[in-house]
Amino acid sequence: FSCLVCALSEAKGMIKTMKYSTRLSDAVHILVFIQQSGSSTVSSSDIAVSICTNPSYVRQIMAKLKAAGLLHSSRGQAAPKLGKLPREITRSIFSKKALPGIAV
C-alpha cells in the first residue's frame, strides 16, 4: 500500500465507509501539497498517492482550481504553481459560486 490510510481503509471491518464529499478537503490538500513542494516537479500521481486516490480525480480537481485562478499549470508539465499567494487564498474563495463542483 502506498500509504497507511489506504491500508487501513481497505482492512475489512476496521473503518466504515463514510458517505460524504471530500472534494473541498482534497482541493485544499492539493494546494498545500503544491505549495510545500517548492520548485520541484509535482505530478498528479504524486498528489494522488498523498490523498489515496487516483491521478484522474486529482486532475479533475486541479482543472477546477485552475479555472478559478487558484492554480497555474500546463498540460504535460508536472510543474503546477499557485495562482495566488498563500495569504490571498481565504475561506471565502471556496464558495459554491467561485468553485462549483468543489465547494459545499
Side-chain angles (χ1 to χ4, degrees):
F1 294 117
S2 57
C3 70
L4 180 59
V5 175
C6 294
L8 289 175
S9 66
E10 291 182 14
K12 290 184 179 181
M14 302 237 0
I15 297 176
K16 292 183 178 180
T17 303
M18 300 185 82
K19 298 196 185 242
Y20 62 90
S21 175
T22 61
R23 289 176 301 204
L24 181 58
S25 61
D26 291 344
V28 172
H29 183 104
I30 290 167
L31 293 172
V32 171
F33 191 96
I34 290 168
Q35 175 62 23
Q36 294 296 318
S37 70
S39 62
S40 65
T41 60
V42 178
S43 69
S44 57
S45 296
D46 296 332
I47 299 168
V49 168
S50 75
I51 300 177
C52 298
T53 191
N54 64 59
S56 175
Y57 171 74
V58 170
R59 287 189 294 273
Q60 290 174 11
I61 298 295
M62 289 176 72
K64 292 178 187 296
L65 293 170
K66 184 177 179 180
L70 296 174
L71 197 61
H72 293 297
S73 64
S74 299
R75 180 174 280 191
Q77 306 252 339
K81 303 285 180 215
L82 293 185
K84 297 181 179 277
L85 294 172
R87 67 176 170 265
E88 295 173 337
I89 301 174
T90 62
R91 189 171 73 178
S92 62
I93 288 175
F94 293 96
S95 67
K96 286 183 183 179
K97 184 177 181 182
L99 286 171
I102 292 180
V104 288

